[in-house]
Amino acid sequence: MRALITGVTGQDGSYLAELLLEKGYEVYGVVRSVARAQREGAGTFSARINCVEADLTDQSSLDRVMEQVNPDEVYNLAGQTFVPVSWTQPLLTMEVTGMGALRMLEAIRRHAPQARFLQVSSSEIFGKSDEQQQSEATRLRPRNPYGAAKMFAHHITINYRESYGMFACSCIAFNHESPRRAPEFVTRKVSRQVARIKFGLADKLRMGNLESRRDWGFAPDYVRAMWLMLQQAAPNDFVIATGVTHSVKELLEIAFSHVGLDWQKHVEVDPVLLRPVEEDPLSGDASKANKILGWKPTVTFEQMIRMMVDSDLSLLSKPAAQTAETSIAGD
C-alpha cells in the first residue's frame, strides 16, 4: 500500500507516518521544501519516508505529485491550524486550510481516482452549538476564520464523495495533544514551562482564562482513527473525541503536581491573554466511531499531560538544551 500525507512533519502527520510504516506502507510526505524537511527532520522515521515537494496553494504541484506517487490512500493533515492566527491571516487560512482541501480533491479526481481520501476536520466547525455533545449530525456554526475554512473543507469533501463517487471521508477531530504538539498550543505551553520551572530556568507561567474547557485527547489515538476510516467498506464521516472536557485549571494542577510543585505559586493570570470572546466548550460524541470503527481512546487526559511534562523534562535534561535555556533566561 502506498500512502500520501500532507502535513507529515506536524504532530498528526508524524504519528500517522509511523503508524503506516509499522503496517508496511510505502509512505510519501508532501513538504514545501525537501531540503528544509531534511534539516528539521520528521521524527524518528524521517529516513524511511519519501518526501515530495508540493504546496496546497499550488494546484499544478499537487497534480504533479498525485500523478507521480499514484497513492492508494491520501491523508490531508496540512493547514494553518492555530485559531488566533486565523484572525490575523484569514485569507491565508482559507487558501491553505480551506481551498487546499479542494485542490487535493481535484488532484485525486484528475490523476488518482482510485485513491481513498481523508480530510482532517475540526471541532471548530461546530462553534456555538446548542447541543451538549456534538455528533456528525450537529449543525455547523463556526465562530472564527479557521473554523469557517475547516467547514468549507468538510463540505467540499462530502460534495466530491456524492458527486464523483470518490472514497472521501471527513474526520471531525476534537482537540488532541502529545509531546509533539507545537509550543503555541496551551497544553504544550504548560508542559514546557513546568519543565523550565522545575529546572530553575523560570519561575512564572502567564495564562489566560483558567476556566476555559476543552475535550482533549491523545494524538496517536486520533491518527489510528484516521487510518481505520479508510479501511471501511464505504466512506463515511466520523467525530473523534473523548466525550469528556477538562479545564485549563485541571491541566495546570496535573502538570505542576507531577513535578511536586504547587501551581498556584507559579501561575499568573495575564489580562492580555484573555480573549474578548471565550470559545464555547465543545464535547464530542464518538459513539458512531465506537460502533462502526471499533475505536476508543486508550490514553486518559491525566496520562497524556504527565507524558508531555516528562518529555519536556527529558528534553531539558540534555546538557545542550540546558545551556541554551540558561542563555535565553539570562538575556
Side-chain angles (χ1 to χ4, degrees):
M1 293 288 287
R2 184 176 297 180
L4 179 69
I5 304 172
T6 69
V8 72
T9 59
Q11 170 187 258
D12 291 2
S14 65
Y15 282 120
L16 178 61
E18 288 178 345
L19 175 67
L20 297 180
L21 288 169
E22 289 172 3
K23 294 183 178 297
Y25 279 66
E26 184 178 354
V27 178
Y28 288 79
V30 174
V31 296
R32 281 181 290 179
S33 166
V34 170
R36 180 178 177 181
Q38 289 173 340
R39 285 197 308 271
E40 296 178 350
T44 57
F45 60 88
S46 57
R48 300 170 57 199
I49 67 172
N50 306 285
C51 288
V52 289
E53 291 185 350
D55 193 307
L56 286 183
T57 64
D58 178 13
Q59 184 68 58
S60 63
S61 69
L62 296 175
D63 287 340
R64 182 177 63 253
V65 164
M66 204 65 66
E67 188 174 23
Q68 170 192 338
V69 176
N70 192 29
D72 299 293
E73 296 176 0
V74 177
Y75 298 85
N76 186 34
L77 278 60
Q80 193 298 101
T81 60
F82 195 44
V83 171
V85 171
S86 76
W87 285 111
T88 58
Q89 300 186 59
L91 296 181
L92 173 66
T93 300
M94 180 56 74
E95 273 295 324
V96 178
T97 304
M99 290 297 294
L102 173 57
R103 295 186 185 100
M104 288 294 293
L105 286 161
E106 267 297 285
I108 292 171
R109 185 181 70 83
R110 296 174 184 177
H111 305 289
Q114 81 293 337
R116 296 187 168 200
F117 175 73
L118 183 126
Q119 168 62 28
V120 178
S121 189
S122 165
S123 59
E124 292 292 334
I125 65 176
F126 296 122
K128 189 174 181 63
S129 178
D130 297 326
E131 299 179 15
Q132 187 173 0
Q133 284 200 314
Q134 292 73 48
S135 71
E136 296 80 6
T138 299
R139 178 187 175 189
L140 308 186
R141 300 173 64 186
R143 301 188 72 194
N144 53 64
Y146 170 75
K150 280 292 189 180
M151 184 177 72
F152 171 82
H154 176 79
H155 277 311
I156 203 66
T157 298
I158 295 172
N159 290 162
Y160 269 61
R161 178 172 72 220
E162 295 177 347
S163 300
Y164 297 112
M166 295 173 61
F167 195 109
C169 305
S170 184
C171 174
I172 310 171
F174 279 61
N175 296 67
H176 47 286
E177 320 296 317
S178 76
R180 298 180 189 174
R181 192 54 144 156
E184 62 264 27
F185 291 87
V186 66
T187 51
R188 187 72 195 289
K189 172 185 175 180
V190 168
S191 67
R192 289 185 76 192
Q193 194 68 350
V194 165
R196 295 185 71 240
I197 291 171
K198 181 63 177 178
F199 277 110
L201 300 171
D203 184 56
K204 296 295 182 182
L205 169 60
R206 292 183 300 164
M207 299 293 293
N209 182 8
L210 305 188
E211 301 304 323
S212 177
R213 303 186 70 87
R214 296 289 182 273
D215 183 335
W216 277 302
F218 186 49
D221 280 341
Y222 285 47
V223 301
R224 176 167 49 87
M226 296 172 196
W227 176 76
L228 285 170
M229 288 173 62
L230 294 195
Q231 312 314 307
Q232 304 306 302
N236 214 326
D237 306 320
F238 293 89
V239 164
I240 304 299
T242 70
V244 180
T245 64
H246 297 274
S247 68
V248 173
K249 184 182 293 183
E250 290 176 71
L251 162 63
L252 293 168
E253 290 172 345
I254 294 167
F256 276 94
S257 65
H258 186 55
V259 296
L261 296 175
D262 182 352
W263 71 272
Q264 296 182 79
K265 295 180 178 179
H266 299 280
V267 174
E268 293 180 350
V269 173
D270 186 344
V272 174
L273 299 177
L274 294 173
R275 297 180 180 181
V277 178
E278 184 58 45
E279 296 175 15
D280 296 287
L282 298 170
S283 175
D285 175 5
S287 56
K288 180 180 174 181
N290 176 235
K291 180 179 179 180
I292 298 177
L293 305 179
W295 180 87
K296 285 184 178 180
T298 64
V299 175
T300 68
F301 177 70
E302 293 80 2
Q303 290 171 331
M304 178 182 70
I305 297 306
R306 291 174 186 138
M307 189 186 308
M308 293 176 68
V309 172
D310 285 340
S311 175
D312 281 319
L313 288 170
S314 178
L315 288 173
L316 276 181
S317 68
K318 298 174 183 178
Q322 281 221 43
T323 300
E325 285 282 347
T326 303
S327 176
I328 292 171
D331 289 343

